[in-house]
Amino acid sequence: MYVPTTYRPPEPGWVLDVVRSHPLALLVSGGGGGVGGEVPFATHLPAIPADEDGPADGSLVGRTVLGHLNRDNPHWSALTDGGRALLVFTGPGSYVSPTVYGVTPAAPTWDFVSVHVRGTVRLVQDREATLDVVRRTVAFCEERFGHGWQDRDSVGYFDKILPGVGAFELVVEAVDGMFKLSQEQSPALRERVLDAFERGPTTQRRELARLMRGLPESGEGVR
C-alpha cells in the first residue's frame, strides 16, 4: 500500500489499535481461476493478535495474527503452509465535503484509516488447536463488542461444527498503516474538518475526530 509520509501513523501502537478495534479483516492471497485469468482470493473474516504481549512500541511486526474461515470456501484450499498472504483491516472513514472548508477553490476528499498486514501463513491442522483459535477469537470479540457471553455451555456445539472450520496463523513480517486525517490541510482547515466530524451523526466520524485530536501538532506521521 502506498502511504505518503504525511499519512503514516505517529507511532506503531496506532496500527495495533486499529487491528484490535476493527478485527473484521479481508484476507487476500494466492490466485484462483477466474474470468480473464488468475485473480487473488479475498475473504472477509475475523483476525486477532494471538497475544496481548509484544514489542514495547506496540508494533505488529513479529507478532502472530489468528484467523479462521469456512473449509468449504475455495480460499481455504488455496492457502498453503508457508505461503504469503495479506490481511486488510479497515478503520473509520468519511467523506469530506468542500463546504466544510468554507473557502474556494476546494476539492472534496475522503478521510480514512486502513492497515495492511503481510506475512507468512501457517495452517492449523490439529483439531484442538483449531478449536483454540475459534474460542480465542470469540473471547476477544465478546470482550470488546459483546455483553459478557461465555462459551462454556456451547463448547459441544463448537466441537460439532469444527470439521467445517479452517484456522490459520499469520506471522507478521511487514505492516503499512494509512491514517489520512486531513494532515495536508492548514491548521485552521483541519480544525474545521475535526469539528464537523465531532458533530457528525455516525460513530465513524467521531472516531476520526478522536484520531485527529491525537495527531502531533505538525500533523505529520512518522518518517
Side-chain angles (χ1 to χ4, degrees):
M1 176 169 63
Y2 169 64
V3 183
T5 300
T6 303
Y7 301 140
R8 294 176 186 172
E11 55 187 45
W14 280 46
V15 168
L16 182 57
D17 285 344
V18 171
V19 171
R20 288 172 172 163
S21 301
H22 302 272
L24 182 64
L26 179 66
L27 174 69
V28 182
S29 70
V35 177
E38 295 289 308
V39 295
F41 283 101
T43 298
H44 292 275
L45 48 78
I48 64 168
D51 56 70
E52 293 298 315
D53 297 325
D57 65 357
S59 174
L60 266 173
V61 176
R63 290 176 181 257
T64 299
V65 176
L66 306 177
H68 65 278
L69 66 161
N70 192 324
R71 283 179 176 266
D72 286 339
N73 185 339
H75 196 166
W76 170 252
S77 299
L79 289 176
T80 58
D81 201 62
R84 292 179 56 77
L86 166 72
L87 282 170
V88 179
F89 296 85
T90 302
S94 182
Y95 176 71
V96 181
S97 169
T99 58
V100 173
Y101 301 138
V103 298
T104 54
T109 190
W110 196 279
D111 278 358
F112 68 94
V113 173
S114 182
V115 170
H116 288 198
V117 177
R118 301 186 301 281
T120 299
V121 174
R122 293 195 302 225
L123 299 180
V124 178
Q125 303 289 5
D126 180 76
R127 183 184 181 88
E128 288 304 313
T130 299
L131 178 60
D132 184 62
V133 169
V134 172
R135 296 190 69 182
R136 290 169 70 176
T137 302
V138 170
F140 180 95
C141 293
E142 187 66 29
E143 178 184 354
R144 287 159 179 78
F145 315 112
H147 300 281
W149 181 76
Q150 300 290 325
D151 69 5
R152 56 179 173 268
D153 295 329
S154 298
V155 174
Y157 176 70
F158 281 12
D159 191 64
K160 180 180 179 180
I161 64 176
L162 203 61
V165 177
F168 67 90
E169 300 176 347
L170 185 79
V171 182
V172 180
E173 299 168 355
V175 177
D176 291 313
M178 180 81 155
F179 288 75
K180 185 179 180 299
L181 302 170
S182 293
Q183 295 97 320
E184 77 283 0
Q185 300 293 347
S186 68
L189 293 188
R190 283 204 305 273
E191 189 64 30
R192 286 177 177 269
V193 175
L194 193 158
D195 181 65
F197 284 162
E198 285 185 331
R199 292 185 291 104
T202 66
T203 301
Q204 289 210 35
R205 291 171 70 88
R206 292 191 291 273
E207 189 174 351
L208 285 169
R210 179 185 63 79
L211 290 169
M212 291 179 73
R213 287 288 185 201
L215 287 172
E217 288 296 323
S218 66
E220 295 184 353
V222 295
R223 296 183 182 277

